[in-house]
Amino acid sequence: MRRVKPETSVIGRVRKTLQNLGYSEGTEFDFEVAIPYGARKLWADAVLFEGNIPVALIEAEGSESALKVGFEEGRLKAIAWNPEDPIPLLWVAAGEKDQCYRAVLPEGRVGVRYEPLDEKPTEILRPEKMADLFGDYLERQGAAFADELRYREVFQKAFRSLPSRLNDHQRCQAILNALSGKRKGLSQPLRHVVSVVSQSLSSGKPNFPLARAFRWLMRYYFRPLEKGESDPVRRYGRYFTPWEVIRFVVQAIDPKPNERILDFACGSGGFLLETAHHLSEKHKAINSEIAASLFGCDWDGGCVEIARIVLGLLLPSQKLNIIQGDGLKLHREWEDESFDIVVSNPPAGKLPKDFSGWEGDDDLPENLPNLYEVAFIVQSVRMAKVGGRIGILLPDGILTNSQLNLLRNWLLKRVQLHKIVSLPRGLFPFTPSKMAAVIMRKVKPTSTHKSVLAEVSRQNFFGQLETIRRVLGIEGLQRT
């Protein structure tokens, strides 16, 4: 079957539907996915994943009259992925018409058939239905997150049971209030959430799937409610970091036991959670040592509440160093150059007009732009020890804008770059910027360290991004 570009308008409709359901392009769904088929390849117009396991294949056709053709092609591709246990859901988007089909494996016989479903994709693919639809399939595939899916279902039912007059942010806050003890008049689903979380916290046993599921639910707290800067998410550049990105950065940094680790814009606590899990699983560190080594800060009280619950579910009964405060003024809480690792996805956008973070630092270039990204780059270098590692997510513009040459020259005298990984556009659905993960090590300003980018002229290091990509062998985000 030859590779044919899908209809652009239909793909746009599919993308919008998946994003509105809360899925992230590049991690939870991809377009034009290759499927081995003997010596050839088939091309799925789109595939929705849970981790690295495909759960829905989407076939896009330009007109409603092509619905039958789309079904035949989609069925072939869904079965070709794994003939013994095909992709369980097929969605054919033909023009403005949608039809979904569910795989049925006949008992005692070889083969599979796809039966049409009455519901629309907007209902079938709602995240809270994933456990019911695909739980058995995922367990057959050996998915490690089958438990997480069941917890997600519990959380999502509680979320949907809250009054419709509440927006998504208020629903998240209502769940946080219930967990903090404000439990008068709770619905049965919400009482169930309180019971599940409370029992886990009091058990003293780490529950990584529950922690991940709770963080997954709280992604609604990071979704804009309206356009313009009146929306708190857009005004403060708050956005949710996909798990695959967090895991990649933590693995690249490779935290070790007894190292002090800081996330100065910790949001929902994703980096701290994955770091704690990494220390436990890879280095066999004990919970008390892990908790003592992790430090988190966020200006948003809601984020701090979320992060404390998320990390508490993995490190129950431990004192957590997660505070509410300004990550750009951490020297008031913790000393400069006191952390072995700084890792974060800082906020984006313009700093407040009264920002004074540059004052008293004669070493910085003059006329730096008042951007959160710039301020947090500077802060990451300030807070890291010499020899410490830094992992930070940045918009491509910070790496390429010629007006930031002075900042980049300042940075390259203080860090040794190890890796820049270009992330897929659309990974952060409500952020137009294309992002990159930057991994670096702090060095003494006077040292003559040899950068991995040494063959690119220091004056134009980041202005020549294509040269950098060739030097580093830049890779896209891989599904593992």
Side-chain angles (χ1 to χ4, degrees):
M1 183 179 294
R2 67 187 181 91
R3 185 178 185 181
V4 179
K5 288 283 185 180
E7 181 68 30
T8 303
S9 61
V10 180
I11 284 296
R13 185 168 68 81
V14 168
R15 175 183 281 110
K16 185 175 181 180
T17 298
L18 293 173
Q19 288 181 343
N20 286 343
L21 286 167
Y23 299 112
S24 296
E25 185 174 349
T27 56
E28 293 175 299
F29 69 92
D30 284 326
F31 291 102
E32 297 190 66
V33 177
I35 303 172
Y37 188 60
R40 299 180 295 156
K41 288 182 180 179
L42 302 177
W43 295 91
D45 293 337
V47 177
L48 176 66
F49 292 88
E50 272 290 343
N52 63 343
I53 299 174
V55 294
L57 184 140
I58 299 108
E59 185 70 22
E61 302 291 344
S63 65
E64 294 183 14
S65 62
L67 181 64
K68 184 177 180 180
V69 172
F71 169 69
E72 296 295 339
E73 291 189 5
R75 181 176 60 179
L76 172 63
K77 297 169 186 176
I79 294 173
W81 190 288
N82 181 1
E84 295 182 359
D85 201 356
I87 296 176
L89 189 77
L90 172 60
W91 166 17
V92 181
E96 293 297 321
K97 186 174 182 178
D98 294 307
Q99 180 63 59
C100 291
Y101 306 83
R102 185 173 183 176
V104 177
L105 299 172
E107 291 187 16
R109 292 191 293 116
V110 177
V112 62
R113 69 178 187 274
Y114 281 85
E115 294 183 346
L117 300 172
D118 293 332
E119 292 179 294
K120 298 295 183 185
T122 49
E123 287 297 317
I124 294 172
L125 294 176
R126 279 167 52 185
E128 64 268 28
K129 291 192 172 184
M130 295 296 254
D132 286 340
L133 274 175
F134 310 125
D136 292 343
Y137 165 79
L138 290 169
E139 287 185 1
R140 291 196 304 271
Q141 298 293 317
F145 46 84
D147 287 341
E148 180 184 339
L149 280 179
R150 284 189 280 271
Y151 287 130
R152 285 187 189 184
E153 185 178 17
V154 170
F155 288 139
Q156 193 73 36
K157 283 182 178 178
F159 191 83
R160 296 298 179 193
S161 75
L162 292 166
S164 58
R165 68 176 183 277
L166 300 180
N167 62 40
D168 284 352
H169 295 179
Q170 291 167 334
R171 290 183 180 195
C172 289
Q173 191 59 58
I175 291 174
L176 293 174
N177 291 342
L179 291 172
S180 68
K182 300 174 184 177
R183 299 173 184 174
K184 186 177 180 180
L186 298 185
S187 65
Q188 176 57 38
L190 197 48
R191 286 200 299 272
H192 189 192
V193 165
V194 171
S195 174
V196 168
V197 173
S198 299
Q199 287 179 18
S200 182
L201 290 173
S202 62
S203 72
K205 297 179 180 179
N207 195 330
F208 187 54
L210 182 59
R212 279 189 41 153
F214 185 76
R215 180 178 179 270
W216 170 87
L217 177 73
M218 289 294 135
R219 75 196 189 285
Y220 288 109
Y221 190 71
F222 296 81
R223 298 182 69 180
L225 299 175
E226 56 187 72
K227 296 181 179 179
E229 291 193 0
S230 60
D231 181 88
V233 172
R234 297 185 188 278
R235 183 166 68 251
Y236 298 112
R238 183 174 77 204
Y239 48 97
F240 189 76
T241 311
W243 195 262
E244 288 81 356
V245 178
I246 291 173
R247 184 176 56 188
F248 164 77
V249 172
V250 171
Q251 288 177 348
I253 291 287
D254 188 19
K256 306 291 195 307
N258 300 317
E259 290 186 317
R260 284 167 55 91
I261 300 142
L262 169 69
D263 184 346
F264 46 30
C266 68
S268 62
F271 278 108
L272 296 176
L273 177 63
E274 179 60 20
T275 298
H277 188 248
H278 177 89
L279 289 169
S280 174
E281 293 296 308
K282 182 175 180 179
H283 298 291
K284 308 304 177 185
I286 63 175
N287 284 356
S288 58
E289 293 174 342
I290 295 172
S293 68
L294 300 179
F295 296 80
C297 175
D298 203 286
W299 70 270
D300 184 298
C303 288
V304 171
E305 285 186 79
I306 295 167
R308 285 174 177 166
I309 293 172
V310 165
L311 203 59
L313 289 168
L314 187 65
L315 302 172
S317 306
Q318 301 298 324
K319 180 182 178 181
L320 301 176
N321 300 308
I322 301 176
I323 64 171
Q324 182 178 1
D326 187 346
L328 298 176
K329 298 177 181 177
L330 278 179
H331 56 278
R332 298 177 183 176
E333 299 287 343
W334 300 311
E335 293 181 5
D336 290 354
E337 296 192 296
S338 62
F339 291 92
D340 300 280
I341 294 171
V342 178
V343 60
S344 195
N345 181 8
K350 294 182 180 179
L351 289 162
K353 293 182 179 179
D354 60 352
F355 176 71
S356 58
W358 311 137
E359 294 179 4
D361 196 334
D362 298 331
D363 192 37
L364 283 171
E366 295 182 0
N367 301 318
L368 286 177
N370 270 20
L371 296 174
Y372 277 111
E373 300 96 317
V374 172
F376 275 99
I377 290 173
V378 173
Q379 183 71 334
S380 70
V381 176
R382 283 175 172 169
M383 299 304 293
K385 293 179 179 178
V386 172
R389 288 102 71 203
I390 299 170
I392 192 167
L393 303 187
L394 298 171
D396 268 7
I398 298 295
L399 306 180
T400 59
N401 191 325
S402 61
Q403 296 179 356
L404 294 175
N405 276 342
L406 291 177
L407 171 67
R408 291 190 289 265
N409 289 339
W410 175 89
L411 179 65
L412 288 170
K413 292 177 181 177
R414 290 158 180 79
V415 302
Q416 181 180 24
L417 280 166
H418 285 277
K419 183 174 287 190
I420 302 173
V421 178
S422 181
L423 304 177
R425 190 179 296 279
L427 194 62
F428 304 93
F430 307 102
T431 303
S433 301
K434 194 172 188 308
M435 305 289 288
V438 181
I439 311 297
M440 47 195 175
R441 182 184 296 273
K442 183 173 176 177
V443 297
K444 292 181 179 180
T446 55
S447 70
T448 56
H449 64 281
K450 182 179 179 182
S451 169
V452 295
L453 303 179
E455 65 188 75
V456 184
S457 74
R458 189 172 290 267
Q459 185 65 31
N460 284 326
F461 257 126
F462 290 95
Q464 301 180 34
L465 186 59
E466 290 307 314
T467 305
I468 289 173
R469 284 176 173 156
R470 288 196 299 273
V471 173
L472 285 180
I474 285 294
E475 54 194 279
L477 185 65
Q478 300 295 313
R479 189 178 303 284
T480 57

